[in-house]
Amino acid sequence: MTRLLSIEDLAVATGSGRPLVRGVSLTLRAGRILALLGESGCGKSLSLLGALDALPPGLRRMGGVVALDGRPCAGRELRGGIVATVLQNPREAFNPLLTLRAHARETLEVRKAEADARLASALAEVGLDDPAVPGLLPGEMSGGMLQRAMIALALIREAPFLIADEPTTDLDPVARARLMDLLAGLRARRGLGMLLVTHDLGVAARLADEVAVMQGGRIVETAPTARLFAAPAHRHTRDLLAAHAMLCADDRPPAKTATVGAVA
Amino acid sequence: MTLLQAGMALRPPPGLRLASVSALLLAGLMLFGPWLAPYDPTEVALDLKLMGPSLAHPLGTDHLGRDVLSRLMAGAQVSLGAVAAILALVLTLGVGIGSLAGMAGGRTDAAIMRVCDAFLTIPTFILALFFVGVLGTGPANVVTAVVLSHWAWYARMARALVAGLKRQDYVLAARVAGTGRLMTVVRHILPAVLAQMAILASLDIGHMMLHVSGLSFLGLGVTPPDPEWGVMINDARAVLWTQPVLVLWPGLMIMLTVMTFNRLGDGLRDALDPALQAGGKAP
Ligand SMILES: Nc1ncnc2c1ncn2[C@@H]1O[C@H](COP(=O)(O)OP(=O)(O)OP(=O)(O)O)[C@@H](O)[C@H]1O
Ligand SMILES: [Mg+2]
């Protein structure tokens, strides 16, 4: 049984050698949620893709070890079967010419009927149980549906780890709250180890056991959630918290209460 | 299967349907023309030469008394068959080489593109003439020459498409979902490339047709007495002023083919473009 996925000292650079991510270390544990916080452009997405050896053309991984229960692994061994990934932008993460069902069959190397059955149960798990959904093209689904469909696709291979890149961006507060419930439920039911990349401190506060804060391509602080929020050690973390507090005071109740209200 | 799905999701407009019917008819003529022809297209009957339309010879006869209708029908095999062969070869070569360059990037890409550039600097007809000169005359050599003078256009296009498509998020998504490299190309990149290239090709069919007929007209392709539309036009040149219809018939067939496939290409483009753009930024 897989329990521990560790990323050690990961670095990503452009083809010309300009470093974009340096010395990133993160540890995922079964049944635990790690949140990765950081402002836009600090290198969160590239860290994930780097760990999976799936960097966009033109970027290179410069080092670092990804280990599964202590055994170093290439990205190819991890992708899909061990680590399921939900990409940042669900609207563009589907081939516009393929239905959801075709997407599911592609990832699963099983008979079609079996793949369809697994897709149906994964879709039910994320709350998309309308029987028409598997036959829809991406253009026929809303952003929130795509977001959930993406998570369903990530689930069908029953990988022990899930990486979700900003799964709540672009969602309205109700959908956002439902998604958080979904993720919490997945952890509870399946014991998934998760890495949640987010700008949203509310999501981190509600779901994460541990939070890592990133700035300028480096991890500047990693701490258990409660401690990080109560006593942030790094200046950048304090700035992030302060900015969030200001936003919350301005225009909406703190994220935690909003969520609880919407869930009930 | 992707193309098929895309095709089924899109209802073709009526003009496109008409063009499809016409394309089917032309394809039928290409496959079965020689057997459907009422007379032997090479049978000379000098006593019947240059006759006007009659019941026995609906389109009349040419300067050697051969039945024009039969020559048109039998000629479709070579005229259209050559174009079909050219298309198949050009698409295979162009998409294959272009996709390789686009996927590989770096030095491989640069090397392939320089070779393409060399081919692209010379006008295609001149290049085709040059290759016929090197290879010798005859239908197979004409096909080869036209392929060699055109593949680079397709390779360039395919490369640009692949280079854009491989950056699409859904290609990345397939990759992080564990789909292998080859599978990703086959499922997510090639169908979109082929869809675009099919559009380009159908718009280009007329152009290739004119190349083949042009080379035959110059006496470099099909050799008389075998029927071919370009050869027929050439034969009719001598009697252009007395029997202009003899040029008209093969000319009309060429025109029909060109128009059919231009319309087909336009329709395909209109139908596929929005579908391709719906899910992603244009490459
Ligand atoms: N293909 C690329 N080539 C060069 N630089 C890149 C490339 N992709 C990303 N970058 C740079 O790397 C940095 C980190 O990008 P990344 O996508 O990881 O940010 P992020 O933290 O995920 O931001 P966001 O929260 O907005 O998604 C950015 O400054 C970006 O400009
Ligand atoms: Mg990102």
Side-chain angles (χ1 to χ4, degrees), chain B residues 192-247:
Chain B
V193 173
L194 282 176
Q196 294 282 355
M197 301 300 281
I199 295 166
L200 182 68
S202 55
L203 292 173
D204 217 18
I205 280 186
H207 176 81
M208 292 177 172
M209 182 103 219
L210 295 176
H211 265 330
V212 173
S213 294
L215 288 170
S216 288
F217 173 80
L218 293 177
L220 303 172
V222 177
T223 39
D226 290 345
E228 196 274 340
W229 298 342
V231 170
M232 289 175 71
I233 294 180
N234 195 17
D235 287 348
R237 225 161 27 119
V239 293
L240 184 62
W241 303 114
T242 48
Q243 292 285 331
V245 282
L246 287 184
V247 178

Side-chain angles (χ1 to χ4, degrees), chain B residues 238-262:
Chain B
V239 293
L240 184 62
W241 303 114
T242 48
Q243 292 285 331
V245 282
L246 287 184
V247 178
L248 186 67
W249 298 125
L252 274 180
M253 287 312 288
I254 293 175
M255 205 170 103
L256 176 72
T257 314
V258 172
M259 278 170 60
T260 296
F261 285 98
N262 270 354

Side-chain angles (χ1 to χ4, degrees), chain A residues 27-29 32-36 204 207-212 222-226 228:
Chain A
T27 305
L28 303 190
R29 291 183 181 82
R32 310 272 290 171
I33 297 183
L34 170 65
L36 181 59
L207 290 175
D209 302 295
E210 230 187 352
V211 179
T222 306
T225 310
L228 186 114

Side-chain angles (χ1 to χ4, degrees), chain A residues 49 52-58 79-81 83 85 87 89 91-99 102-103 106-107 137 150 157, chain B residues 2 5-6 9 166-179 183-184 187-188 191-192 275-276 278-281:
Chain A
L49 297 178
L52 295 172
D53 280 333
L55 287 167
R79 296 194 294 257
V83 180
T85 310
L87 290 182
N89 191 342
R91 174 71 59 200
E92 304 197 339
F94 288 90
N95 185 332
L97 300 177
L98 296 181
T99 62
H103 279 93
E106 170 184 326
T107 17
L137 289 167
M150 183 102 199
R157 285 193 55 185
Chain B
T2 314
Q5 267 170 7
K166 75 173 179 183
R167 277 162 216 272
Q168 291 284 338
D169 272 0
Y170 60 81
V171 172
L172 179 63
R175 204 144 164 242
V176 294
T179 309
M183 224 12 216
T184 310
R187 285 187 58 91
H188 297 287
L276 287 174
K281 41 205 177 276

Side-chain angles (χ1 to χ4, degrees), chain B residues 267-280:
Chain B
L268 252 159
R269 187 197 55 212
D270 294 347
L272 286 171
D273 262 9
L276 287 174
Q277 279 159 14

Side-chain angles (χ1 to χ4, degrees), chain B residues 49-132:
Chain B
K49 72 176 183 183
L50 296 175
M51 291 213 319
S54 64
L55 265 184
H57 302 278
L59 300 182
T61 58
D62 69 2
H63 65 296
L64 296 177
R66 297 173 297 198
D67 181 49
V68 171
L69 180 64
S70 299
R71 282 183 72 73
L72 272 188
M73 292 174 82
Q77 180 136 66
V78 178
S79 296
L80 296 175
V83 171
I86 289 170
L87 269 185
L89 289 170
V90 154
L91 278 177
T92 315
L93 263 183
V95 172
I97 296 177
S99 304
L100 185 72
M103 283 311 291
R107 288 214 190 115
T108 320
D109 181 25
I112 295 177
M113 281 307 109
R114 291 303 76 76
V115 175
C116 282
D117 287 345
F119 278 83
L120 293 177
T121 48
I122 306 165
T124 50
F125 197 74
I126 312 260
L127 199 58
L129 272 177
F130 165 75
F131 282 118
V132 172

